[in-house]
Amino acid sequence: MASIIERVGSKTLNQLEYVGGFNIQLWAGLRAIGTSLPILGNRYRWKESVNQMLQIGVSALPMVGLMAICSGFILALQGASELRRFGAMHYVIDLVAVGFTRELGPLLTAIAVSGRSGSAFAAEIGSMRVTEEIDALRVMAFEPIEFVLAPKYLAALIMVPCLSIASNVCGIFAGGLFMFFSTHLAPSLYLQYVLSSIQLRDVVSGLIKSLAFATIIVNVGCLEGFRVQGGPDAVGRSTTAAVVKSTFLVIVADVLFTAIFYMMGMH
Amino acid sequence: MAVISVRDLVVEYDGRRVLDGLNLDIDEGETMVLLGGSGSGKSTLLRQLLGLELPHSGSVSVKGIDITRCLPADLKLVRRSMGVAFQSAALFNSFSVKENVALALREHTALVPSIIELVVWMKLAVVGLAEFGHLHPQELSGGMKKRAAVARALALDPEILVLDEPSAGLDPIVAAELDELILLLKRAFQMTVIVVTHDLPSAFRIADRIAMLHKGAFLAVGTKDEIRNSQLPRIRQFLDRVPGKMAEGPTVTASFEQYLQGQEITQ
């Protein structure tokens, strides 16, 4: 009995320590992000931010685009199979356009970035821990958060919303393809319907979610890397943990944001 | 005058005492070798001297600043006066050797790029790597990596040079070359040098004074001759390379029997 209580206590303390570490790192990252800005910040950090933007954003574009096209097609197909029975095929356009802008675009992007970049952050920083590079940075009077995390954070805050918009466009394009082949709806008319169904608040709510998802992915990935202790096997474990935890937290955050926007009347 | 003072330093990991009330003064311009076997606490002491970990109690003062209690800004100031070459070299793999050496110069000084390039070339020339600046760390041999790490440590002309196991993993000829390099650097730059090692020939070649660690406490601190002539059993055992009890036949047999008994009980 005592050992069960001990284990529960120990696990609880570990979780609290993790949450505390996450919060400390988040605030330190937000404070340090200015150093990565162009002109105002350090030009080497900005250079690294641009490099990270290429890694997080540009390299991920084909994958995110393809995922969005497939999902857009699936959503349109599934929607059409039900809505056809009620003669409401035109609602497929609303379903795809609003569904992607508010929800699927940001979420699919976050899952793709979490798998690609979140794991890469954990592996990179974890390897730096194992090879004493993080200690070397500290003894050279550098702040690892500023040197390693801040450029990634800035890059993710810029690129994840951009990727989300690209994902929305691809998803809606897939819906258009479906409508063209199934109902011969002209592309110009489809675009007109899409523009009339999406409102600015849908786009804004999607972008706010993207910023939150970027924050989660970068901070979880980097925290898992910074917490690596031991050898290469620990790096492997941190990579897995980074993907699992950030995907889970992204979905939890999505639920929270959707509920908040719903209560605020934005949805 | 002591440039580094360690007072009543106690370090514990999970309640296990690793350093037990250490006291040590390292004078300006001297080469202090921290000598000891595996697990004696050398690396832990080094991490305390660099301010990488906080002690359980006691203090470490560098140039009159207690780095266990000072403000982060003061710690950074202290660290800028120290150059550290880690056991694993800890060179940044994404940078070339030249960029590794230039890093602290470009971030902590206002020198123009052409001057930085000149300084980098000089530092690499001192360690005999002037021709190899364009290579990346993974393209260097073990000895070259160590020398590159020394060049990086020298970048800001530190008052204190710290070398962690400089000869570990090197063949005797390269290790001897590194010893001569340390002596040359000391003569040329009048630095305080702290070397952590368990390599006896190297320690007796480069040291002004030797601090012998065993199980987290100093067995003796003295000049090379004082240590060499010491009659303390543990120091004699270390210097004369006398095997410990672990390698004795009866100990192995007893351990084996204990293991077998344990196996029977668990089965």
Side-chain angles (χ1 to χ4, degrees):
Chain A
M1 183 67 185
S3 75
I4 294 171
I5 295 169
E6 242 172 58
R7 276 212 299 276
V8 170
S10 157
K11 292 240 176 202
T12 309
L13 283 176
N14 283 343
Q15 293 304 321
L16 284 174
E17 192 203 339
Y18 190 88
V19 172
F22 184 88
N23 281 323
I24 290 167
Q25 186 192 274
L26 176 63
W27 293 118
L30 284 169
R31 276 203 310 272
I33 212 163
T35 59
S36 296
L37 291 171
I39 304 164
L40 298 171
N42 178 317
R43 69 191 174 107
Y44 296 104
R45 304 283 180 282
W46 169 240
K47 211 172 139 187
E48 176 58 19
S49 296
V50 173
N51 181 35
Q52 287 296 330
M53 283 180 213
L54 293 174
Q55 301 289 323
I56 299 167
V58 180
S59 306
L61 193 57
M63 181 192 172
V64 169
L66 210 61
M67 278 172 74
I69 287 172
C70 294
S71 305
F73 216 79
I74 293 166
L75 188 63
L77 270 169
Q78 294 286 6
S81 66
E82 290 301 311
L83 292 167
R84 178 177 283 143
R85 291 193 293 172
F86 305 102
M89 276 293 277
H90 60 281
Y91 283 119
V92 171
I93 303 168
D94 292 271
L95 182 69
V96 173
V98 177
F100 255 90
T101 318
R102 281 185 192 173
E103 198 63 53
L104 276 177
L107 190 62
L108 280 176
T109 304
I111 289 169
V113 173
S114 161
R116 278 188 88 255
S117 303
S119 57
F121 298 156
E124 180 193 330
I125 298 173
S127 304
M128 287 177 81
R129 282 271 302 169
V130 171
T131 56
E132 296 180 300
E133 286 177 49
I134 296 291
D135 287 339
L137 279 177
R138 290 171 68 196
V139 297
M140 287 166 81
F142 292 112
E143 209 47 71
I145 294 281
E146 182 198 315
F147 199 91
V148 184
L149 182 142
K152 292 178 172 51
Y153 196 4
L154 179 67
L157 285 178
I158 294 170
M159 293 316 290
V160 174
C162 290
L163 282 173
S164 294
I165 291 169
S167 171
N168 294 344
V169 171
C170 292
I172 292 168
F173 171 74
L177 277 182
F178 171 80
M179 291 303 284
F180 178 75
F181 287 115
S182 63
T183 64
H184 304 293
L185 182 70
S188 58
L189 207 57
Y190 175 76
L191 188 65
Q192 221 174 333
Y193 282 134
V194 165
L195 291 175
S196 65
S197 63
I198 301 171
Q199 293 180 2
L200 183 64
R201 64 188 181 196
D202 299 327
V203 180
V204 171
S205 69
L207 291 180
I208 291 172
K209 281 181 184 177
S210 292
L211 292 174
F213 296 163
T215 299
I216 288 169
I217 293 164
V218 171
N219 281 287
V220 170
C222 292
L223 185 62
E224 287 300 331
F226 282 124
R227 283 164 64 93
V228 162
Q229 275 178 335
D233 57 325
V235 178
R237 280 198 301 276
S238 79
T239 314
T240 311
V243 178
V244 172
K245 285 179 185 170
S246 60
T247 308
F248 171 72
L249 287 175
V250 158
I251 291 168
V252 171
D254 194 20
V255 172
L256 288 175
F257 274 99
T258 307
I260 290 167
F261 292 143
Y262 180 79
M263 283 189 277
M264 284 168 68
M266 277 180 83
H267 283 181
Chain B
M1 189 194 140
V3 71
I4 295 178
S5 295
V6 177
R7 290 284 171 270
D8 304 320
L9 189 71
V10 175
V11 175
E12 290 184 355
Y13 294 138
D14 298 326
R16 188 171 54 89
R17 192 159 283 207
V18 182
L19 296 182
D20 194 6
L22 298 187
N23 286 290
L24 181 69
D25 283 324
I26 301 174
D27 293 332
E28 200 170 346
E30 80 168 333
T31 299
M32 170 63 81
V33 171
L34 302 174
L35 191 66
S38 305
S40 60
K42 306 187 298 287
S43 297
T44 307
L45 175 58
L46 187 76
R47 292 181 71 78
Q48 293 292 328
L49 296 180
L50 299 174
L52 288 171
E53 285 172 11
L54 287 175
H56 180 261
S57 63
S59 68
V60 177
S61 297
V62 181
K63 294 166 64 189
I65 298 173
D66 182 358
I67 60 169
T68 59
R69 288 173 184 83
C70 69
L71 295 169
D74 290 333
L75 183 59
K76 275 190 179 178
L77 214 64
V78 168
R79 281 174 171 166
R80 284 194 197 187
S81 65
M82 298 170 100
V84 186
F86 284 89
Q87 184 178 356
S88 61
L91 296 166
F92 303 113
N93 283 318
S94 52
F95 295 164
S96 67
V97 172
K98 232 173 9 181
E99 287 168 334
N100 264 283
V101 181
L103 184 65
L105 289 164
R106 77 178 193 203
E107 300 262 356
H108 294 322
T109 69
L111 295 174
V112 293
S114 57
I115 300 292
I116 289 178
E117 202 165 322
L118 182 69
V119 175
V120 168
W121 185 87
M122 283 164 61
K123 301 295 176 189
L124 287 173
V126 167
V127 299
L129 289 177
E131 313 280 301
F132 302 96
H134 62 286
L135 296 179
H136 277 73
Q138 55 270 31
E139 298 173 276
L140 302 180
S141 69
M144 287 162 94
K145 273 186 194 167
K146 299 255 182 185
R147 282 187 282 155
V150 173
R152 187 177 69 179
L154 293 173
L156 292 176
D157 294 326
E159 294 164 53
I160 304 162
L161 180 65
V162 182
L163 305 166
D164 186 9
E165 302 276 9
S167 54
L170 302 180
D171 69 64
I173 298 168
V174 179
E177 281 172 5
L178 213 59
D179 290 345
E180 295 312 310
L181 175 66
I182 294 166
L183 290 170
L184 170 80
L185 291 174
K186 202 196 155 208
R187 274 201 307 274
F189 301 108
Q190 304 293 311
M191 288 180 293
T192 306
V193 183
I194 302 166
V195 181
V196 171
T197 189
H198 60 260
D199 181 356
L200 287 174
S202 173
F204 284 110
R205 176 82 186 112
I206 59 180
D208 290 326
R209 283 198 303 152
I210 294 173
M212 177 97 190
L213 262 167
H214 177 60
K215 290 186 178 171
F218 285 126
L219 283 180
V221 179
T223 62
K224 282 189 273 194
D225 290 334
E226 284 168 350
I227 297 293
R228 196 180 276 128
N229 299 326
S230 170
Q231 293 307 311
L232 281 170
R234 180 64 206 179
I235 295 182
R236 287 272 37 108
Q237 186 189 12
F238 192 85
L239 299 183
D240 301 336
R241 299 188 75 222
V242 179
K245 279 184 181 171
M246 192 186 286
E248 286 174 4
T251 314
V252 176
T253 313
S255 302
F256 190 60
E257 276 171 4
Q258 214 172 2
Y259 171 76
L260 286 178
Q261 278 166 7
Q263 288 292 91
E264 279 166 15
I265 291 162
T266 51
Q267 279 167 8

